[in-house]
Amino acid sequence: MHFHVLTLFPEMIDQGVSTSITGRAMDKGLISVDATNIRDFSEDEKHHHVDDYPYGGGAGMVMQAAPVVGAVEHVCSRVTEEGRKRPRVIYMTPQGRVFSQKIAQELAQEEDLVFLCGHYEGIDERALEMCVTDYLSIGDYVLTGGELPAMVMIDCISRLVPGVLNNDVSAEFETFHDNLLEYPQYTRPEEFMGRKVPAILLSGDHKKVDEWRRERSIERTLEHRPDLLDETFLSKKEKRFLAELRKKKETPADAENSAAPAGESEPKA
């Protein structure tokens, strides 16, 4: 898989992805991450400026259209010349869809992805209209530039590329698989400061271990991200288990309120 990052700070990308899992994947040739400096496409040959004041006034500077379009076209042309289809161009912006595991799985099917990292007050809208295919965000907050979001997405997508993880099964069953949070994990020793590893994990009964892990995933999702359960496929047995968990979670006050007739309220003091 080929990742192409268009940025004003290529060294930030190079340093951020060259270690750990992504670094090893690059060494093995499973993925490539190429950072292209947008300044190289500046029309200002002397100072390589890529920004200017916004029309209409306002604070900050805006990245000019020409260097951005030039960088995008340079990378996309190189990809097509190598015999691959024109890649999707992803712009990092809080205005985009929030990145998720589902989106990562979709993007992992691509051969090439281009990440466009903005800076300052953003990029001239005309460049975005001409080049961008996807607008993505990593959350409802503002960062200095798009480099960190791009690296987050590259890390997540890379894990889904065959061979990147030593154990490919781990990518399939970690957090957000099947829209559930991951079950608790334990390793040696069996007892630590009075806390023991659950006996079921030491039993050697793989079927029961799988059932226990699935139930803990459901339990953890209900506790921390109940919104995910709306789109989770559960068996009849798991639905009964979830119903029991919700019943236990219901407080006495909740039960009393749910039993009260509609319109009835507590007496005033």
Side-chain angles (χ1 to χ4, degrees), residues 8-22:
L8 297 178
F9 303 96
E11 66 281 0
M12 185 175 179
I13 302 298
D14 293 337
Q15 294 171 7
V17 301
S18 61
T19 60
S20 190
I21 289 175
T22 51

Side-chain angles (χ1 to χ4, degrees), residues 101 105 169-183 214 217 221 228 232-233:
Q101 192 69 17
Q105 290 167 343
V169 176
S170 63
E172 182 180 354
F173 289 101
E174 58 190 8
T175 295
F176 296 120
H177 170 72
D178 201 16
N179 236 40
L180 291 174
L181 301 185
E182 189 177 21
Y183 47 78
R214 182 76 174 178
S217 287
T221 305
L228 295 175
T232 301
F233 176 79

Side-chain angles (χ1 to χ4, degrees), residues 102-116:
K102 185 176 181 180
I103 294 175
Q105 290 167 343
E106 172 197 332
L107 295 177
Q109 306 305 310
E110 301 288 334
E111 274 192 280
D112 293 84
L113 290 171
V114 176
F115 293 90
L116 174 58

